[in-house]
Amino acid sequence: MTAYLDHAATTPLRPEARLAMEPWLGGCYGNPSGSHSVARVARAAVDEARDIVAHVLGTTPGDVVFTSGGTEAANLALLGRVRAAPGPLVVSAIEHHCVLHAALAAQRHGSAEARVVGVGKDGVIDLAALSGALDRSVSLVSVQLVNNEVGTLQPFEEVARLVRRRAPGAVLHTDVVQAVPWYDVSLLAAQADMVSISAHKFGGPQGVGALALRRPVKLEPLFFGGPQERERRAGTHNVAGIVGLAAALVATVAERESAAARVRALRDELCAGLLARVPGSKETAPGQDKAPGHCHLVIEGIESEALLMVLDAYGVAASAGSACASGAMEPSHVLRAMGYSEREAMGALRLTLGHTTTAEEVHTALRAVPEAVERLRAGGGRPGGAGGVPGGAGGVPGGAGGVPGAPGWVSAGSSGCRTMNRVHFAPPNDAGVPPESPSAPRTTSLTRVPSPAGRTGAI
């Protein structure tokens, strides 16, 4: 079994979300923008989901804008605002790239000045620097509630007070993507004018999110078409995704308090255990208020990419930082902003826990990480000898790069998922009908996912 400790990148789909989505992936297929009965059923599902999101985020249903995810929601907040009300954008230096890059793109294209505010070694925004960046010309300020890499919680109430006093005309946006699983954001970010969320960070489907407006805010759309979402976001609604988002949100809120306490205890055990067992390791922003699921370390003399590959072979799924930057092989902008050297930042390890995390997974990581670090420091490769993976010379366990009984398929971990690998589709025969032989499968599905063992009620 894979110890999945990368919940900040994405979370397993909750059974409540899967069950709620299923009708909209088959027999229920109406376009919510239509006027006939099939369309009205779809519209009712979207409206019910909108009511739920509005209640949880502390706004009214008409002020919830469904998007394709957190990135689009944040881009709509920043770029939509500056197009409607030109002026400087103020963001923290440790924002998720969807915020930071949007602000820098606006500056690069001449739309707005981007003012980037630094943070301390503790990963908390420098309030004095923020005050200096604010004036009456500012159009929008964006400070995320919980940092996606190190997990630090920002002093949002103090941020809001400064913005209201120094830039009274500015709109205040916060990315609460990492906060939703652990906190009541309607209270913790009550002073925000706009909040953005992403469903897959709390057990919903990938590819759907929302921007919630807390007070009237002028926004220009990012792209154009139909009048959906009160002309703020054109395009046919992703009904299945929206329904899944709402169902996951209901389930998250219902268990949030107990899940946070349980996961925090596991996180503390994990962090303390690794600090004790891995020489040269240190926790980033120690002692700071952090999201319950975040354990973030820097490890001396180790490169993150190599460590993650070895841990993967041991059956531990982890990351170095934001999933959006995986493979970039650049030091984390968050750690560099916090004052870590480039060398230190290249040795980052992010282990993030979630609602499905078990004690067994934590204990697996406590065994695997110290051994993986020791191997790398000794100049060794992955377990199994000479840089290889268990099960053969550089192959995948179970055979020479293959999966028993499934030619052309490779394993995607131990979750039961299978991903197609170079499957060739035969051309149609003379009658234009694709052949039925097993060598030319008719399906174009790229993933096979087993049904959940059990399901619970949906909204």
Side-chain angles (χ1 to χ4, degrees), residues 186-271:
S186 69
L187 297 178
L188 207 57
Q191 300 87 356
D193 300 311
M194 295 190 287
V195 298
S196 51
I197 65 171
S198 187
H200 75 108
K201 299 305 175 77
F202 51 85
Q206 297 173 355
V208 62
L211 177 67
L213 283 61
R214 295 274 189 64
R215 69 178 176 88
V217 176
K218 287 181 62 178
L219 288 178
E220 286 290 326
L222 299 185
F223 42 88
F224 302 89
Q228 292 90 347
E229 300 302 290
R230 297 193 174 188
E231 299 187 341
R232 293 172 295 202
R233 200 275 185 183
T236 303
H237 291 91
N238 172 8
V239 181
I242 289 168
V243 167
L245 180 155
L249 198 53
V250 170
T252 297
V253 171
E255 68 172 38
R256 188 159 51 196
E257 188 174 348
S258 60
R262 184 185 68 83
V263 170
R264 183 180 286 108
L266 289 174
R267 187 274 313 273
D268 291 347
E269 178 186 357
L270 177 62
C271 270

Side-chain angles (χ1 to χ4, degrees), residues 132-209:
L134 297 173
D135 58 45
R136 291 182 175 273
S137 70
V138 171
S139 178
L140 177 139
V141 178
S142 187
V143 176
Q144 66 184 162
L145 194 56
V146 171
N147 181 259
N148 54 294
E149 290 194 21
V150 299
T152 46
L153 187 65
Q154 299 302 315
F156 199 77
E157 190 171 341
E158 296 176 63
V159 168
R161 276 201 298 266
L162 272 176
V163 172
R164 301 301 181 224
R165 186 172 73 246
R166 300 274 300 159
V171 168
L172 180 57
H173 166 259
T174 183
D175 162 7
V176 299
V177 165
Q178 296 291 340
V180 171
W182 315 116
Y183 305 107
D184 183 347
V185 296
S186 69
L187 297 178
L188 207 57
Q191 300 87 356
D193 300 311
M194 295 190 287
V195 298
S196 51
I197 65 171
S198 187
H200 75 108
K201 299 305 175 77
F202 51 85
Q206 297 173 355
V208 62

Side-chain angles (χ1 to χ4, degrees), residues 68-109:
S68 63
T71 292
E72 185 193 337
N75 272 254
L76 178 58
L78 271 71
L79 302 181
R81 170 60 180 172
V82 80
R83 290 176 184 177
L89 299 172
V90 178
V91 300
S92 86
I94 62 170
E95 295 297 303
H96 188 279
H97 279 143
C98 68
V99 168
L100 194 58
H101 287 177
L104 294 175
Q107 176 169 274
R108 190 166 59 250
H109 297 147

Side-chain angles (χ1 to χ4, degrees), residues 287-306:
Q288 287 301 307
D289 194 3
K290 297 180 182 179
H294 273 69
C295 174
H296 192 276
L297 309 174
V298 290
I299 303 175
E300 182 181 335
I302 294 296
E303 288 191 359
S304 300
E305 183 187 34

Side-chain angles (χ1 to χ4, degrees), residues 51 67 89 119 126 130-132 137 194 229 239 397:
D51 290 344
T67 66
L89 299 172
V119 299
D126 183 334
L130 174 62
S131 179
S137 70
M194 295 190 287
E229 300 302 290
V239 181

